[in-house]
Amino acid sequence: MLEEETSCQVGGSPAAEDKPLTADAPQGRLWTWQEGDCTVIRSNARTGPGCHDNCGVLLYVKDGKLKKIEGDPENPYNQGRLCLRCLAAKEMIEHPSRLLYPLKRSRDKRGQDCFERTSWEEAFSIITREFTRIIDAYGAQAINVTQGTGRDINGYGPLLARLIGTPNYGMGFLSGQGCYAPRLMMMFFKVGDAFVCDYSQFSPERYDDPRWQPPGVIMVWGNNPVVANSDGTLGHWVVECMKRGSEIICIDPKLTWLAGRAKHWLQVRPGTDAALALAFCNVIINEQLYDADFVSRWTYGFEQFAESVQGYTPDRVATICDVGEQSIIEAARAIARAKGACLQWGVAVDHTSEGFYTGMTMFDLLALTGNFEKPGTMVAARPCFGVEETWLASQKAIDALEVPANPGLEKRLSGPYPALAALGMPSNDEMLKALETGKADLTVDEAGQPVSGSYPVKAVWLQTNNTLACMGAQPQRLLPALQGTDLNVVVDLFMTPTAMAVADIVLPAACFSERPGLTGHHPYYLGAIAQATNPPGECKSDQRIIFEFARHFWTAREGEAVARLASPWETEEEFYDWILRDAPFTYAELKERTWAYPEFCYNKHEKGLLRPDGKPGFNTQTGRYEFHCLALEGFGLAPLSGYSEPPESPVSSPELAEKYPLVLTTGARRWGYFHSEHRQSPTLRQFAPWPEVMIHPQTAKEHGIGEGDWVLLENDFGSCRMRAHLSVRIRRDTVSADHGWWFPERDPGDGTLFGVLEVNVNQLLPMRPGRSGYCNSYKSQLCRISKAADTASAGPSDSED
Amino acid sequence: MEHTNDSKGFGLLIDYRYCSGCHSCEVACQVEHGYQPGVFGITLMQLGPEEIKPGKWQYDFLPVPNDRCDACVERSAAGKLPSCAQHCQAGCISYGRIEELSSMMAHRKMVLFRL
Ligand code: SF4
Ligand code: SF4
Ligand code: SF4
């Protein structure tokens, strides 16, 4: 290993003249070899199907066909291990109902099973014709380009929006863009970088890197990482740390496997986490357990913060959260005294209305205890070798595109939310209103300045996005809203409820073994996806669909020459070489080494590695961690963290709670599924064949509900049905409902859209963000339950159970 | 990895303090042997969830090789770990000689299976 002081660059040096020094040694690492009658291809499994990780895989290929997928024991990321989804991925990749050809359907037949096969040429021509008509009549902002999550899209979808010329690009109909985006923006506002828990994943030597130490305490907060594997964290890294001494403090309304092994498990009432974090801070400040050195050297606004937490006494917060006062005090002391503490948080943070502030409280706790940039604490994670597109929208890449159209950023539909405007995505809550009313009202521009005007939204492009089954709240509103547009395009692997309900054009996407690509969903290294087989039928990768459509679109609009400037790529390899234009590798070089780790170091804030001016400190206005957040103040929002009751809760709306006495939390991950995907795979389906709602046995008894019964869940927003699973793992006052369900085995022509609206719990959740424009209430609602009388139409027949 | 052509004297040591119940061992075995969904050479068992005493939970998983397990002899002959042991996400299945494995039984919740 090199001396870190001399070699460390945050994320690695982008444009080196010579080949850069990497932390890993690629000599002797093969990317392909022969084993018996199979060719083995070493790759990284970066979607589709969807996942937030990029595990190293060995793809065994014979006669052009994929024979088996194994974990790559040499890949530092997963060290040979695989979750069941990659182990059984062949069932998805080779599934007989994969979409194989572009499909078209006339607009008046939306919802009916009468798609016709078409050619790519014709599909692109229809989209181009409609887009051109819409752009000429209303402007390009009338086209809303959306992504889902999981499939490799975060960095590439924004390029499509730019290539079309629309400023409206977001996570399609996710209320409050409530999935990590709020936490990312909170981190950028308060500490200037995205920080993640250090499980040694930045080093190719992993746990053996002598600089690394396991976290003393891992706060597993609103996350079940071993199942979820969210946001580039392989959950079982937590288990490896436990073997090496890390203790768990788990905050979850449900007994997870990690909660059962935790030193402290606080079974909070859903949506109250911010109060708990502030009580931890209260104890730590008042018992003088905080890291005074870090606080004085590297933070801003501590005095005000210390004062503001005085109201959050353990005694009061014990009542708010419904946990023991003593356990709050003990957990707070354990966090403060730990040799390194880090935060393993989950989307639960974003899934309560004022979740933006929940995330802030958790980071305040980390700052108070000085848990930044030391081994086993929170460390800054930046794109590797300057390649941003593998992970998030890259302004650099967007600016580098030579597109004639003006994106009209002032027309992005940010609603009345300047803090959300800073994300560069529209408000989906406003977008749905615009679809419903035929008019998008502008309030603030991309810089948060007031603007006025309005326009209609006429077309929606949904790529990697099954919004009726998954991301969108109130799908019962989304369905008619999307059916009312002039054109909808869906790009996916399978015929989804969303495609069946609203698409005029369906484009078939490729899986990870069928395409080249790059890894890097929350990148610690840069790696290549190596193509092992040809895509089936006429499937194309999501990226190829984007750049080929852009070429077609601009050829039709402005002619060949302009189109070649806007979208110059003929092959995917050329496209990735462009993505890697500032990196020290070509795609072919990266494929040959499969992974490349930049040099990594700790204490980057002390070394002046985080700020563009090279000065020590964090990349914020003050150069410090901001307890008092100046950016938020600039947006007219409260600059200090605080707790607000969820809008619907037994405390804030007691009358409503009389009608709907149970707290509803949704969306916990199940083994084998990535959100709304994977229900087609018999191997993965066997572990969770039905949508389930977890109910405490006592609560179930009070409602006359038994294990496996169909249950009706209802509130004023809507209803759905699921099967009961009785378990003491959940609080008595809370039920936990699966998300993302539909029944791909249903007859697509039966008019039920694969049963999606029978079982989609999002019908009970509003499209309604918090005050910042971020977050939603997907995990803190109210509902009531009853045994469902009619079960005939829900799900596959019982005999299959 | 030692190359072997039969499984005599070998075993699987399961450290179920760390088994998360992730099903990878089952699916790895199923896929390796071409079994139908639901058919495995190793079966995941569950203990609890039960609050043994206030704040102390038993909520454990334990994979048990069953009569379909052929010890992955083909893989062993090729110098590879049994598929369950390689893919176990918690790294809690060790494959090796019985004597070696028994000397590794350092704490509670460890089970040694003779293959
Ligand atoms: S976490 Fe994702 S990449 Fe890793 S094995 Fe599972 S599905 Fe594959
Ligand atoms: S050793 Fe092989 S056959 Fe036996 S359970 Fe493990 S994977 Fe299955
Ligand atoms: S693969 Fe490992 S952690 Fe997962 S269920 Fe099997 S033994 Fe447990």
Side-chain angles (χ1 to χ4, degrees):
Chain A
M1 183 152 317
L2 293 152
E3 278 299 310
E4 57 176 60
E5 266 65 22
T6 55
S7 64
C8 174
Q9 301 261 345
V10 183
S13 60
E17 289 270 305
D18 301 314
K19 292 297 159 225
L21 290 165
T22 51
D24 60 305
Q27 293 77 14
R29 188 187 306 152
L30 297 175
W31 79 272
T32 182
W33 61 92
Q34 203 64 27
E35 211 177 289
D37 52 5
C38 282
T39 304
V40 184
I41 312 244
R42 190 195 291 275
S43 185
N44 297 285
R46 176 85 175 98
T47 80
C51 180
H52 278 179
D53 287 87
N54 339 261
C55 292
V57 283
L58 302 176
L59 304 170
Y60 287 72
V61 179
K62 190 181 155 197
D63 303 328
K65 289 207 53 147
L66 186 61
K67 286 293 171 201
K68 109 177 141 169
I69 299 173
E70 291 226 1
D72 178 1
E74 287 181 44
N75 192 311
Y77 191 83
N78 56 313
Q79 302 183 312
R81 305 167 190 189
L82 289 180
C83 86
L84 65 176
R85 292 202 305 266
C86 264
L87 285 166
K90 243 165 68 79
E91 287 180 13
M92 292 292 284
I93 295 169
E94 293 173 356
H95 199 280
S97 36
R98 269 281 295 277
L99 292 169
L100 299 177
Y101 305 100
L103 303 172
K104 64 176 180 176
R105 181 175 62 184
S106 96
R107 189 187 170 284
D108 57 344
K109 299 268 179 3
R110 286 177 178 175
Q112 297 174 32
D113 182 27
C114 56
F115 284 103
E116 284 171 59
R117 181 175 164 182
T118 182
S119 64
W120 282 97
E121 177 67 25
E122 193 192 7
F124 283 170
S125 297
I126 294 170
I127 305 169
T128 299
R129 187 186 70 217
E130 284 300 295
F131 276 7
T132 300
R133 188 183 58 73
I134 291 166
I135 291 168
D136 292 347
Y138 312 101
Q141 69 276 8
I143 301 166
N144 182 25
V145 181
T146 72
Q147 66 163 85
T149 188
R151 214 153 80 228
D152 182 13
I153 191 72
N154 295 355
Y156 307 111
L159 300 181
L160 173 67
R162 175 69 185 97
L163 285 163
I164 294 170
T166 176
N168 285 320
Y169 181 84
M171 293 186 280
F173 305 102
L174 177 65
S175 177
Q177 301 287 4
C179 177
Y180 205 32
R183 284 172 286 152
L184 278 171
M185 292 309 284
M186 181 280 293
M187 290 190 279
F188 289 128
F189 292 156
K190 275 175 79 83
V191 65
D193 261 286
F195 284 80
V196 297
C197 182
D198 173 24
Y199 300 111
S200 80
Q201 70 271 39
F202 293 91
S203 167
E205 294 177 57
R206 295 303 312 255
Y207 314 104
D208 297 331
D209 189 317
R211 298 170 301 174
W212 181 75
Q213 285 165 19
V217 162
I218 302 172
M219 293 185 268
V220 177
W221 207 326
N223 188 225
N224 189 4
V226 292
V227 187
N229 293 325
S230 24
D231 306 313
T233 295
L234 214 48
H236 284 78
W237 294 341
V238 174
V239 180
E240 287 303 321
C241 290
M242 288 162 73
K243 291 181 188 171
R244 290 162 176 82
S246 298
E247 285 189 331
I248 304 296
I249 293 181
C250 182
I251 294 115
D252 203 302
K254 191 187 285 170
L255 177 85
T256 58
W257 176 78
L258 282 170
R261 275 155 170 70
K263 178 102 176 160
H264 302 279
W265 168 43
L266 293 109
Q267 194 178 18
V268 290
R269 175 166 67 91
T272 63
D273 309 73
L276 184 65
L278 292 168
F280 288 159
C281 294
N282 175 299
V283 172
I284 290 168
I285 290 172
N286 292 334
E287 295 191 6
Q288 302 280 328
L289 295 174
Y290 63 94
D291 184 338
D293 180 60
F294 183 88
V295 164
S296 75
R297 285 171 68 201
W298 303 113
T299 71
Y300 173 80
F302 173 69
E303 299 299 322
Q304 275 167 288
F305 175 68
E307 207 180 300
S308 75
V309 303
Q310 289 311 315
Y312 295 95
T313 59
D315 152 55
R316 180 176 158 238
V317 169
T319 311
I320 296 175
C321 301
D322 191 25
V323 296
E325 180 184 349
Q326 204 50 37
S327 51
I328 296 179
I329 296 170
E330 280 168 22
R333 290 176 183 157
I335 293 162
R337 291 186 178 136
K339 188 160 191 299
C342 74
L343 175 66
Q344 180 53 50
W345 55 1
V347 75
V349 178
D350 308 319
H351 284 183
T352 190
S353 277
E354 296 308 319
F356 198 85
Y357 283 84
T358 308
M360 285 172 60
T361 61
M362 294 174 181
F363 259 59
D364 288 346
L365 174 63
L366 291 163
L368 194 61
T369 47
N371 280 304
F372 285 101
E373 284 294 324
K374 293 190 280 256
T377 69
M378 303 300 284
V379 291
R382 285 201 183 159
C384 296
F385 305 105
V387 184
E388 297 172 349
E389 296 85 331
T390 64
W391 164 221
L392 292 174
S394 164
Q395 196 54 47
K396 223 173 53 183
I398 289 169
D399 292 344
L401 293 171
E402 296 189 43
V403 198
N406 175 353
L409 288 181
E410 72 287 350
K411 295 220 167 79
R412 182 177 292 140
L413 189 57
S414 303
Y417 307 116
L420 182 73
L423 170 70
M425 283 185 174
S427 161
N428 289 318
D429 306 275
E430 296 294 309
M431 190 60 77
L432 175 56
K433 283 188 216 157
L435 287 174
E436 287 175 331
T437 61
K439 184 160 87 62
D441 288 319
L442 291 168
T443 320
V444 293
D445 69 5
E446 84 283 5
Q449 296 305 310
V451 284
S452 60
S454 67
Y455 57 84
V457 177
K458 290 287 182 186
V460 183
W461 178 294
L462 301 118
Q463 190 158 0
T464 77
N465 186 353
N466 183 4
T467 191
L468 286 181
C470 199
M471 271 201 168
Q474 290 183 296
Q476 66 274 38
R477 281 175 65 197
L478 284 168
L479 176 61
L482 285 167
Q483 283 185 330
T485 61
D486 290 0
L487 178 75
N488 295 311
V489 179
V490 171
V491 186
D492 222 320
L493 306 178
F494 291 91
M495 179 56 67
T496 62
T498 305
M500 181 54 73
V502 307
D504 306 308
I505 298 287
V506 179
L507 303 174
C511 290
F512 68 81
S513 53
E514 303 157 354
R515 70 178 190 101
L518 299 174
T519 69
H521 193 99
H522 229 318
Y524 318 109
Y525 69 93
L526 194 58
I529 304 157
Q531 184 175 352
T533 69
N534 287 324
E538 293 179 5
C539 290
K540 297 182 187 210
S541 71
D542 285 293
Q543 294 73 10
R544 181 186 278 275
I545 292 170
I546 288 170
F547 70 73
E548 286 190 357
F549 172 70
R551 173 76 74 89
H552 185 106
F553 178 75
W554 284 109
T555 304
R557 281 176 71 76
E558 301 277 348
E560 183 86 19
V562 170
R564 278 188 182 280
L565 277 178
S567 178
W569 312 283
E570 299 292 336
T571 66
E572 280 156 285
E573 182 155 340
E574 281 174 27
F575 176 75
Y576 287 112
D577 282 343
W578 180 76
I579 295 291
L580 294 166
R581 64 203 175 281
D582 294 331
F585 313 99
T586 61
Y587 173 74
E589 287 167 335
L590 206 52
K591 183 172 81 171
E592 276 170 27
R593 60 184 290 163
T594 316
W595 60 84
Y597 279 74
E599 280 294 337
F600 169 77
C601 66
Y602 293 107
N603 295 313
K604 296 185 277 289
H605 62 303
E606 294 188 353
K607 295 170 184 159
L609 293 169
L610 295 179
R611 294 178 55 80
D613 60 13
K615 291 199 178 127
F618 293 98
N619 191 18
T620 58
Q621 284 185 51
T622 56
R624 290 160 176 257
Y625 176 89
E626 296 186 357
F627 285 111
H628 177 121
C629 181
L630 295 178
L632 280 185
E633 199 166 45
F635 296 130
L637 294 165
L640 288 170
S641 52
Y643 169 66
S644 312
E645 264 296 309
E648 292 91 5
S649 90
V651 176
S652 63
S653 59
E655 276 171 33
L656 196 66
E658 247 171 65
K659 205 165 146 202
Y660 304 114
L662 293 168
V663 177
L664 170 66
T665 179
T666 74
R669 299 278 194 92
R670 302 293 295 265
W671 299 117
Y673 299 146
F674 186 81
H675 294 300
S676 63
E677 295 188 72
H678 295 106
R679 306 303 191 284
Q680 297 88 346
S681 157
T683 291
L684 301 177
R685 185 80 177 263
Q686 69 186 319
F687 299 110
W690 301 96
E692 276 182 2
V693 53
M694 189 187 284
I695 311 171
H696 193 282
Q698 189 65 39
T699 310
K701 201 171 157 207
E702 285 158 20
H703 288 81
I705 291 167
E707 177 74 26
D709 284 350
W710 281 95
V711 173
L712 180 68
L713 291 92
E714 308 169 86
N715 64 15
D716 281 347
F717 296 108
S719 67
C720 76
R721 281 178 299 171
M722 296 190 168
R723 296 188 88 161
H725 174 55
L726 312 194
S727 176
V728 294
R729 292 170 56 202
I730 189 78
R731 289 171 57 95
R732 279 189 193 186
D733 63 358
T734 302
V735 295
S736 171
D738 281 352
H739 77 304
W741 267 95
W742 54 293
F743 301 107
E745 64 275 18
R746 286 256 183 108
D747 170 4
D750 74 358
T752 70
L753 301 172
F754 305 99
V756 69
L757 293 182
E758 296 161 22
V759 290
N760 185 350
V761 73
N762 290 12
Q763 289 166 110
L764 286 82
L765 308 175
M767 283 293 293
R768 184 196 61 202
R771 286 190 284 273
S772 57
Y774 289 102
C775 300
N776 54 48
S777 52
Y778 290 17
K779 294 199 203 299
S780 51
Q781 256 306 319
L782 292 174
C783 75
R784 70 173 170 228
I785 55 169
S786 56
K787 195 166 160 168
D790 165 27
T791 63
S793 62
S797 73
D798 266 306
S799 58
E800 291 172 29
D801 195 7
Chain B
M1 252 308 301
E2 194 173 350
H3 293 236
T4 53
N5 286 315
D6 70 54
S7 59
K8 218 189 286 162
F10 283 77
L12 294 178
L13 175 64
I14 317 279
D15 183 353
Y16 73 97
R17 182 182 285 194
Y18 298 113
C19 168
S20 64
C22 77
H23 301 288
S24 276
C25 49
E26 292 176 315
V27 177
C29 184
Q30 177 197 311
V31 171
E32 175 73 21
H33 295 85
Y35 296 142
Q36 292 302 303
V39 180
F40 320 113
I42 189 163
T43 309
L44 189 63
M45 314 298 280
Q46 180 176 329
L47 306 173
E50 188 192 347
E51 198 168 17
I52 302 286
K53 55 181 186 190
K56 179 92 187 72
W57 286 84
Q58 173 117 49
Y59 184 32
D60 293 328
F61 298 92
L62 170 65
V64 179
N66 61 41
D67 287 353
R68 281 200 183 83
C69 169
D70 67 359
C72 282
V73 277
E74 277 181 36
R75 290 179 67 96
S76 299
K80 293 183 188 180
L81 282 174
S83 194
C84 59
Q86 179 189 319
H87 292 105
C88 170
Q89 290 199 84
C92 70
I93 306 181
S94 306
Y95 169 80
R97 292 203 168 271
I98 298 283
E99 313 81 66
E100 247 170 78
L101 295 176
S102 69
S103 72
M104 289 160 59
M105 297 182 78
H107 56 78
R108 279 171 65 95
K109 298 197 179 181
M110 293 185 118
V111 191
L112 181 51
F113 292 98
R114 186 174 204 117
L115 289 173

